[in-house]
Amino acid sequence: MDKEQLKQEILNVLEKRQTGVLASVKQNKPHSRYMTFYHDELTFYTPTSIETHKAEEIQENPNVHLLVGYDGEGYGDSYLEVEGTATIQDDQGLKEKFWSEQMSHYFDGPNDPNYILLKIKPSLIRLMNSEENSPLTLEL
């Protein structure tokens, strides 16, 4: 599979599923939690509050790992393993772009000063369980 085909397969997984796991580093140890992920091509965004531990952890160490796509339907489900770096984004345009009414449980709206996005820029993405030669790795 060439690089463009692999990229398309990765995007197909992202279109089907948004829930995944974000692992950051807390006191030199991994710290994981479920998150909702949005994407713009192969850049990931996840909403959170600036007042969370994950925001503090990312400010101290931007290295993160994501698992996205597995929905528990079976052992053959395709999913992604993503290594990358995260930054805190308070850009109003991005906050509006990725706002969803489901977030109103946590925030007053896209203008809420506590609402931020974590932007994850991958260095590599592994497509897991896609075919016999799995995993397939896309280095960025």
Side-chain angles (χ1 to χ4, degrees):
M1 180 178 301
D2 71 23
K3 188 174 181 176
E4 278 306 308
Q5 289 173 313
L6 178 54
K7 179 181 173 183
Q8 191 55 52
E9 286 296 315
I10 289 168
L11 291 171
N12 289 342
V13 170
L14 292 173
E15 291 302 319
K16 293 177 191 169
R17 299 178 191 95
Q18 293 179 312
T19 304
V21 175
L22 167 69
S24 56
V25 180
K26 178 180 181 178
Q27 298 174 349
N28 265 351
K29 296 183 180 179
H31 185 210
S32 302
R33 74 279 285 160
Y34 284 105
M35 302 292 292
T36 300
F37 292 97
Y38 302 97
H39 69 95
D40 184 359
E41 285 292 308
L42 297 178
T43 300
F44 296 79
Y45 294 90
T46 185
T48 193
S49 171
I50 190 64
E51 297 179 347
T52 61
H53 292 294
K54 67 184 109 18
E56 181 181 312
E57 291 162 11
I58 285 168
Q59 287 174 330
E60 291 176 12
N61 184 336
N63 295 299
V64 296
H65 189 267
L66 312 179
L67 295 174
V68 181
Y70 184 76
D71 64 6
E73 293 296 316
Y75 290 108
D77 293 346
S78 293
Y79 67 95
L80 308 176
E81 291 184 357
V82 180
E83 295 178 17
T85 53
T87 56
I88 292 173
Q89 300 292 307
D90 194 29
D91 176 87
Q92 192 60 39
L94 285 174
K95 289 168 52 170
E96 289 176 15
K97 177 178 179 177
F98 294 113
W99 175 259
S100 124
E101 283 307 312
Q102 294 172 326
M103 290 184 234
S104 62
H105 296 288
Y106 309 101
F107 304 105
D108 292 333
N111 296 319
D112 188 317
N114 290 323
Y115 166 49
I116 60 165
L117 293 163
L118 301 179
K119 176 182 178 182
I120 295 105
K121 207 65 172 151
S123 55
L124 79 89
I125 302 173
R126 286 185 197 90
L127 177 62
M128 307 297 291
N129 293 345
S130 66
E131 58 182 47
E132 290 180 20
N133 297 328
S134 184
L136 299 172
T137 302
L138 179 63
E139 294 189 38
L140 303 164

